[in-house]
Amino acid sequence: MNTNRSMVRLAALWGMLFFLTNCGGVQQPLKEVLKKQTPYEKYEQALKNVKLENTALGNDWIVAGRKALQDSILVSLPFKETGYFAADKPIAVSYLVSLKRGERLVVGVEVRSMQATQVFVDLFEAPIPTSQSPVHLASGDTSNTVIDFESREDRLYLIRLQPELLRSGNYTITMTREPSLAFPVQGKDSRNISSFWGADRDAGKRRHEGIDIFAKKGTPAIAATDGYIAAVNENRLGGKVVWLQDTKRQQRLYYAHLDEQLVRPGQKVIAGDTLGLIGNTGNARTTAPHLHFGIYTFGIGAIDPLPAVRVGSPAPPNVTAPMERLGTWARTSGKKGIVRISPDKKSSPLSEILKHTPVYILGGVRDWYKVSLPDNTIGYIEAKQIENAEKPIRTQKIASLTQILDQPAASAGFLATVEPGTQLPVLASFGSFLYVKTPDGIAGWLPIS
Ligand SMILES: [Zn+2]
């Protein structure tokens, strides 16, 4: 919104930000405190130090960051989203991702902006209670904004992305899933697993506490991670077995039915080292040679090894929704549109909206848009349900001197004044607001009673 008023406001804030980033005037004791903070917290503290939190924009920035922690947009991996941030409208976006124990989440963020722009990327445990401070797990490195996080439990995580104040540009976030361990059989991967966790054994008397990977007799069974050999022995079911202590994760990796054991107890190994050769010893005598691979954790016992060794997700699909609409108001084209919680037709609907409802384009995922409705509902809608808000749907005659607003809200700022008798082209409508264009070509909001 390039009104004079907001330009003056931005200029004043720029001056304060310059001071903030160049004066280096943080006192010594405080400096010590700041060292333990995340980059995000440091920035927030710096805003407070120069009293920027008392300005509307500074306060909006802080509120946007907190609000994003309570959002509940659930996405599945792999995921890629392109979005827009405007200098005069602080935003923070967040995503919920479900991970299994042993899976790694890799988050990458690319920013395209006229000026160098810092984007804060933070990972938290989710859901986040409103009353207490969220458990923060990782921050994106500010130089390349990447998080590589390994989940030690099955749970939901929240990723928040927020650019620094007074910058505009585009961001693209990608999130992929990777295994935390190497695959335990040389030359194979998780697509070669033929028996999974929980399968029946001994006619249902017990359950399979691992995975089986068939391979030619003599194929190397390899260390899935760095560690040391905890035991090399023989038992009735497993035959010749090797136990590898995973020193990083408080768990033991179990290799069974080996034809030959090639390590000794106490020996240090690194990921990829050969521990033994695939065979069919123990209760596998009558089956083809295979490795039975198990993971036993401290305190829990056997867990499903699959999430830890499963092939990573492929590269996320590209954004095909037209991106020239980013950061603009568009409208639904069809009879009605459905705004959903995730970019997926099977996900829960958040809102059913009428034909020609204005939607603000926040971002794109595949052939979906992430949109904000005039009532601030944020969700996803299929791009094919959206058209440019260009061709008027009707005109509205103005009865008395009227202000055109910069937002569809009673608290909005004034963009323009229109004279009585003016016929305004209506581009979209939502509840008690019409999205109109003034004779000077300014698009804004007209409250109707
Ligand atoms: Zn098995």
Side-chain angles (χ1 to χ4, degrees):
M1 308 298 167
N2 285 334
T3 61
N4 282 338
R5 201 184 54 147
S6 66
M7 288 308 282
V8 169
R9 202 173 64 193
L10 288 185
L13 283 168
W14 263 118
M16 291 170 89
L17 273 187
F18 180 82
F19 174 76
L20 181 156
T21 49
N22 292 278
C23 71
V26 178
Q27 285 164 6
Q28 203 54 41
L30 190 55
K31 232 178 192 170
E32 294 306 310
V33 175
L34 295 187
K35 269 184 191 157
K36 292 179 191 111
Q37 295 177 315
T38 65
Y40 185 97
E41 289 165 340
K42 281 184 197 170
Y43 187 79
E44 186 176 357
Q45 187 60 54
L47 292 182
K48 287 177 178 171
N49 289 349
V50 296
K51 306 271 188 281
L52 258 177
E53 59 168 329
N54 300 334
T55 66
L57 213 53
N59 184 59
D60 283 356
W61 191 88
I62 291 168
V63 169
R66 300 221 170 110
K67 189 178 161 286
L69 294 179
Q70 303 300 332
D71 287 349
S72 53
I73 284 183
L74 183 66
V75 298
S76 55
L77 303 177
F79 181 78
K80 182 177 190 173
E81 181 172 281
T82 294
Y84 173 76
F85 49 93
D88 61 346
K89 200 176 170 191
I91 67 151
V93 292
S94 65
Y95 312 89
L96 288 174
V97 172
S98 171
L99 291 180
K100 294 236 185 287
R101 180 183 178 130
E103 287 179 338
R104 264 169 55 221
L105 172 70
V106 179
V107 183
V109 176
E110 227 180 273
V111 176
R112 283 170 59 199
S113 176
M114 294 299 280
Q115 308 124 316
T117 300
Q118 191 174 16
V119 172
F120 302 97
V121 188
D122 290 279
L123 177 76
F124 300 89
E125 280 186 359
I128 292 166
T130 39
S131 53
Q132 66 189 71
S133 54
V135 179
H136 180 269
L137 299 166
S139 296
D141 180 83
T142 50
S143 56
N144 55 12
T145 48
V146 159
I147 286 178
D148 189 335
F149 173 79
E150 182 180 328
S151 182
R152 299 287 170 90
E153 54 187 326
D154 296 358
R155 69 165 307 134
L156 270 182
Y157 295 92
L158 183 140
I159 296 97
R160 179 184 63 190
L161 194 144
Q162 186 170 8
E164 63 180 307
L165 258 181
L166 299 171
R167 289 286 195 273
S168 61
N170 292 355
Y171 64 85
T172 296
I173 180 169
T174 55
M175 293 191 272
T176 53
R177 174 183 53 72
E178 298 291 338
S180 55
L181 300 180
F183 201 72
V185 180
Q186 194 175 80
K188 304 280 181 186
D189 64 39
S190 59
R191 289 164 291 198
N192 300 106
I193 297 170
S194 51
S195 179
F196 290 89
W197 170 265
D200 269 359
R201 284 293 183 274
D202 293 341
K205 281 194 201 118
R206 58 187 183 93
R207 301 232 159 240
H208 194 214
E209 293 199 327
I211 52 175
D212 292 340
I213 307 117
F214 284 79
K216 256 171 63 186
K217 189 172 180 171
T219 304
I222 58 179
T225 187
D226 300 350
Y228 66 88
I229 303 304
V232 178
N233 49 38
E234 258 187 275
N235 66 55
R236 185 179 59 85
L237 292 176
K240 290 181 179 174
V241 307
V242 169
W243 290 89
L244 167 61
Q245 178 69 36
D246 177 348
T247 37
K248 206 173 147 192
R249 301 177 186 85
Q250 297 244 313
Q251 62 189 18
R252 278 187 181 185
L253 311 183
Y254 179 59
Y255 294 74
H257 311 314
L258 296 173
D259 189 56
E260 259 188 80
Q261 298 139 303
L262 299 174
V263 283
R264 30 170 229 292
Q267 185 180 334
K268 276 193 177 162
V269 295
I270 57 165
D273 283 354
T274 298
L275 306 182
L277 302 177
I278 306 292
N280 59 345
T281 56
N283 69 344
R285 275 180 313 271
T286 55
T287 64
H290 69 273
L291 176 73
H292 170 95
F293 179 71
I295 299 180
Y296 292 80
T297 66
F298 182 77
I300 299 174
I303 60 162
D304 182 5
L306 184 62
V309 299
R310 182 157 50 144
V311 173
S313 57
N318 283 325
V319 179
T320 54
M323 284 292 96
E324 58 271 18
R325 292 188 184 128
L326 264 187
T328 70
W329 283 94
R331 69 188 181 203
T332 46
S333 54
K335 270 188 184 158
K336 60 181 182 188
I338 300 172
V339 178
R340 297 181 183 277
I341 196 163
S342 303
D344 177 357
K345 272 192 221 177
K346 283 174 277 179
S347 72
S348 317
L350 283 174
S351 186
E352 210 169 85
I353 52 179
L354 300 171
K355 182 180 183 174
H356 297 148
T357 296
V359 296
Y360 186 77
I361 309 293
L362 291 168
V365 181
R366 303 192 315 275
D367 52 350
W368 290 69
Y369 281 125
K370 184 190 221 174
V371 296
S372 170
L373 298 182
D375 67 1
N376 291 323
T377 300
I378 291 177
Y380 293 89
I381 188 166
E382 285 179 272
K384 66 181 182 194
Q385 296 184 336
I386 298 299
E387 64 182 20
N388 292 345
E390 270 170 4
K391 215 170 150 194
I393 53 176
R394 62 184 176 87
T395 58
Q396 175 83 10
K397 192 174 177 184
I398 301 303
S400 57
L401 198 69
T402 301
Q403 298 290 349
I404 301 301
L405 308 178
D406 62 0
Q407 286 175 64
S411 58
F414 298 154
L415 270 182
T417 308
V418 284
E419 300 290 333
T422 314
Q423 291 278 359
L424 286 180
V426 175
L427 306 177
S429 74
F430 183 83
S432 56
F433 287 94
L434 298 177
Y435 188 57
V436 296
K437 203 172 214 174
T438 68
D440 300 335
I442 296 170
W445 299 90
L446 174 71
I448 48 170
S449 43

